Amino acid sequence: MQALKKVLVSFAMAASIAAVSSSSIAAPKGEEAVREAIENTLSGIATSQAAVKSGDLTAAAKDILEAANASKEFRYELTERQRQKATDVLKAARKSAEAGDAAATTEGLEKALAAFKEMKAKYDLAH
């Protein structure tokens, strides 16, 4: 009976260690959300740039809003302040698009795209 208890306790301990170690080996769920957020932001900016080039500033403003909303999900401590500034640039570009100023919209989108690409590069280096 004593031997059976030792075997069962050993088995239970091995099972709990295996359960804990497998969850720690798995990729964190948050990383995928962060990667998706930066990709959505970059694609939204690219879509906005295409809309501005085609002359559709209304669609560009909508796409910029979606990109700015996606950027809020990009949470990486080392680039947080840069993300806030780049999102402010996107908001300014959206206001320019709504006002009908294609040149200012294009300039703002280019600045935001460069900033978000830089943030993505920093994130990718660390992950």
Side-chain angles (χ1 to χ4, degrees):
M1 190 66 160
Q2 287 290 347
L4 183 59
K5 281 185 179 180
K6 287 182 182 180
V7 170
L8 287 176
V9 169
S10 297
F11 180 73
M13 290 178 66
S16 66
I17 289 172
V20 170
S21 66
S22 66
S23 65
S24 65
I25 291 172
K29 294 178 185 176
E31 282 186 29
E32 185 60 35
V34 172
R35 287 186 197 282
E36 185 178 331
I38 193 68
E39 292 297 331
N40 288 342
T41 302
L42 291 172
S43 69
I45 293 171
T47 305
S48 300
Q49 287 177 322
V52 170
K53 286 181 183 177
S54 70
D56 190 0
L57 293 178
T58 304
K62 180 181 170 238
D63 293 335
I64 293 170
L65 178 62
E66 290 174 7
N69 287 337
S71 75
K72 293 176 186 175
E73 299 301 318
F74 179 67
R75 296 290 183 189
Y76 181 53
E77 186 176 339
L78 299 178
T79 61
E80 183 60 25
R81 183 65 189 132
Q82 186 179 7
R83 183 197 62 81
Q84 291 171 350
K85 288 181 179 181
T87 303
D88 289 344
V89 171
L90 278 177
K91 290 177 184 177
R94 180 172 171 246
K95 287 182 181 180
S96 297
E98 289 172 344
D101 188 354
T105 304
T106 301
E107 182 182 340
L109 288 172
E110 288 172 0
K111 286 180 183 178
L113 182 62
F116 280 108
K117 281 185 176 181
E118 182 181 335
M119 284 185 277
K120 183 180 184 314
K122 287 179 184 177
Y123 182 79
D124 289 342
L125 279 175
H127 295 89

